[in-house]
Amino acid sequence: MRNKVLLILGIIAILVGGIWTLQGAGVIGGSFMSGSQTWLIIGLIVAILGIILIFEATRARRRRT
C-alpha cells in the first residue's frame, strides 16, 4: 500500500513540477508564474522530489520480491 501511495505522489509531483517548470521558463503562458525564474526552480525541485519518490517506491518493491 505504501509503495502505491509513494508512486502516485511521485507521478503527481513530476506532472505538477513539470508544469511549473514550463511556466517558469515561459513556455506555458497566461499565469503569474509565466516567465518567473522562481517558479522554474520550484518546479525543478518538485519534479526531482517526484523522481525520488518513484525511485523509493520501486526500490522498496524490489526488496520484497
Side-chain angles (χ1 to χ4, degrees), residues 22-34:
L22 292 174
Q23 284 181 325
V27 176
I28 300 174
S31 170
F32 69 93
M33 295 185 235
S34 298

Side-chain angles (χ1 to χ4, degrees), residues 3 8 10 15 17 28 43 58 60:
N3 292 340
I8 291 169
L15 292 174
I28 300 174
T58 57

Side-chain angles (χ1 to χ4, degrees), residues 11-21 43 46-47:
I11 292 169
I12 291 170
I14 289 173
L15 292 174
V16 170
I19 290 171
W20 288 350
T21 300
V46 171

Side-chain angles (χ1 to χ4, degrees), residues 2-57:
R2 178 179 179 264
N3 292 340
K4 289 181 183 180
V5 171
L6 287 177
L7 188 63
I8 291 169
L9 288 175
I11 292 169
I12 291 170
I14 289 173
L15 292 174
V16 170
I19 290 171
W20 288 350
T21 300
L22 292 174
Q23 284 181 325
V27 176
I28 300 174
S31 170
F32 69 93
M33 295 185 235
S34 298
S36 172
Q37 187 176 9
T38 302
W39 287 103
L40 174 68
I41 294 168
I42 291 171
L44 288 173
I45 292 170
V46 171
I48 290 168
L49 290 174
I51 292 169
I52 292 169
L53 286 174
I54 291 174
F55 177 75
E56 286 296 318

